[in-house]
Amino acid sequence: MKAVYYIAFNEDWGHVADKVWKILEEEGYLSEKTITTPDGKDAYRYVDEEGNEFHFVPTDRALCLNYTKYLPFMNEHYADFDVSGMVTWHEGAAAEPNVLTCHTLGDMDSGYFAPSRPRLMRNIMHGMKRHIDELGLEGYRAVTEGTHWSGVHNGEGDPSLLCEYPVAMMDLEVGSDESSWDDEKACKALALSLMDIFKDDGKTVHNLLCVGGVHFDPNFAEAVFTEWGNEAFGVTHILANQWLVTGEYESEEGFEKAVACVEKIDGGIDAVVMHDKAKACYKDLARNIAAKYGVPVFKHQRLRKPEGMEL
């Protein structure tokens, strides 16, 4: 299998990514030069003992902020890959510190979503948690975020470009303040987790569409790590409440946007999970999506006791 990571290796811009790049170099993963990027930098490849390929592509800034520049290059060299990721940092006015985050890409307002692969997202998040523990990062957590795309900012950016790159992509970040961004151990945990994306425990993964909740919703984050017997949940696209409102998902057009989201989840969905505090119109949306795909719909509390779920 093949993974490609786009990493903003530029010490004069941003946080986290340049540290991750240096750690990958120190760990010996930048072992083989491959091609030259549009910025005139060298990309690298590493092949593990199982034959999995990991490609590392340096960019001047976060990929999403200059997608039109990089997209032709991505499609020429990395369109047949199994998964991709963009390494950067997370921040926000009310964002949590001491987190390693992973989220799928989509612009909920316009209804454009990138492909997602729940099993591989689960693998990398379990890697994040494992390295947090191994490195003794007390107080840190591995969490999901609501689906969004930072390529749309202040009304600029074309979200339809998300549909022009066929490879599932995730944002992989350390957040959400300066002390977290400067934490070398946190950056190392993120760097090492990149190499875990194909480490699979073989469990049966049940894919969920999550509707409602806050941006960092703990119920959906914990579901990534919930296991019962040989079964587990796959969490990718999360339609967080704030963008359900701005995207008017209570409307017929909103329903079609949600359908477009489901269609980008590899393997489809086995259930729809709605946050119990969501407005009635968005609970109706969850029920309607579940009915369309012939899958059950549950309130988020059920994620804590999955035994006996009809999935």
Side-chain angles (χ1 to χ4, degrees):
M1 300 185 75
K2 297 191 292 185
V4 55
Y5 297 109
Y6 303 99
I7 304 173
F9 181 46
N10 182 348
E11 294 180 351
D12 297 324
W13 185 88
H15 313 281
V16 174
D18 62 306
K19 297 182 181 66
V20 168
W21 184 272
K22 291 176 181 178
I23 291 165
L24 290 168
E25 186 173 32
E26 292 167 0
E27 294 290 326
Y29 293 122
L30 305 186
S31 59
E32 176 190 350
K33 291 182 182 179
T34 55
I35 58 177
T36 302
T37 73
D39 302 317
K41 297 179 179 179
D42 293 320
Y44 290 82
R45 180 179 79 144
Y46 175 83
V47 182
D48 69 13
E49 294 179 354
E50 287 74 40
N52 297 310
E53 294 187 19
F54 302 84
H55 290 245
F56 307 97
V57 180
T59 59
D60 276 347
R61 296 196 302 160
L63 179 73
C64 61
L65 299 181
N66 208 345
Y67 214 67
T68 54
K69 174 183 178 180
Y70 294 110
L71 185 59
F73 169 81
M74 294 157 60
N75 277 323
E76 180 180 358
H77 299 285
Y78 303 106
D80 64 340
F81 277 49
D82 297 285
V83 69
S84 63
M86 183 187 79
V87 176
T88 182
W89 77 94
H90 183 270
E91 65 180 326
E96 297 182 36
N98 301 341
V99 290
L100 271 61
T101 77
C102 177
H103 72 82
T104 48
L105 306 186
D107 179 59
M108 286 184 58
D109 285 354
S110 63
Y112 290 106
F113 297 88
S116 68
R117 299 196 66 175
R119 188 169 206 101
L120 299 182
M121 180 164 164
R122 177 176 180 269
N123 288 350
I124 202 167
M125 290 199 67
H126 276 254
M128 287 177 173
K129 187 174 187 297
R130 182 165 52 250
H131 293 299
I132 285 172
D133 294 340
E134 289 174 352
L135 293 171
L137 282 163
E138 294 185 10
Y140 275 83
R141 298 185 302 128
V143 298
T144 56
E145 298 178 52
T147 295
H148 66 285
W149 187 50
S150 298
V152 177
H153 184 65
N154 293 332
E156 299 180 358
D158 181 1
S160 70
L161 295 177
L162 286 172
C163 299
E164 294 188 19
Y165 185 51
V167 183
M169 185 181 288
M170 297 166 283
D171 276 8
L172 305 159
E173 306 164 339
V174 175
S176 299
D177 60 15
E178 191 167 348
S179 65
S180 303
W181 305 329
D182 291 341
D183 191 326
E184 292 285 343
K185 281 189 177 181
C187 293
K188 185 173 184 177
L190 179 58
L192 295 178
S193 72
L194 303 182
M195 312 307 297
D196 292 337
I197 199 160
F198 300 130
K199 292 182 179 178
D200 196 295
D201 58 15
K203 292 187 182 294
T204 299
V205 175
H206 301 285
N207 296 345
L208 306 176
L209 175 69
C210 301
V211 178
V214 297
H215 184 59
F216 276 120
D217 198 278
N219 302 286
F220 301 144
E222 285 303 314
V224 177
F225 303 107
T226 298
E227 301 172 356
W228 65 107
N230 195 45
E231 300 179 81
F233 290 127
V235 177
T236 52
H237 283 305
I238 299 172
L239 306 183
N241 186 68
Q242 66 196 83
W243 291 302
L244 287 172
V245 174
T246 61
E248 298 181 346
Y249 276 69
E250 68 276 12
S251 66
E252 181 65 28
E253 183 181 354
F255 175 79
E256 295 302 325
K257 293 177 185 177
V259 168
C261 177
V262 173
E263 294 297 317
K264 290 300 184 77
I265 300 176
D266 184 53
I269 57 173
D270 298 297
V272 178
V273 181
M274 58 185 181
H275 198 282
D276 195 27
K277 291 185 179 179
K279 291 182 178 180
C281 59
Y282 303 130
K283 289 180 180 178
D284 287 342
L285 170 70
R287 296 185 185 101
N288 291 337
I289 290 292
K292 176 177 175 62
Y293 289 97
V295 298
V297 58
F298 301 105
K299 293 182 179 180
H300 74 267
Q301 293 93 336
R302 189 69 194 280
L303 294 172
R304 302 166 196 162
K305 296 182 179 180
E307 295 83 357
M309 272 185 163
E310 296 180 3
L311 296 169

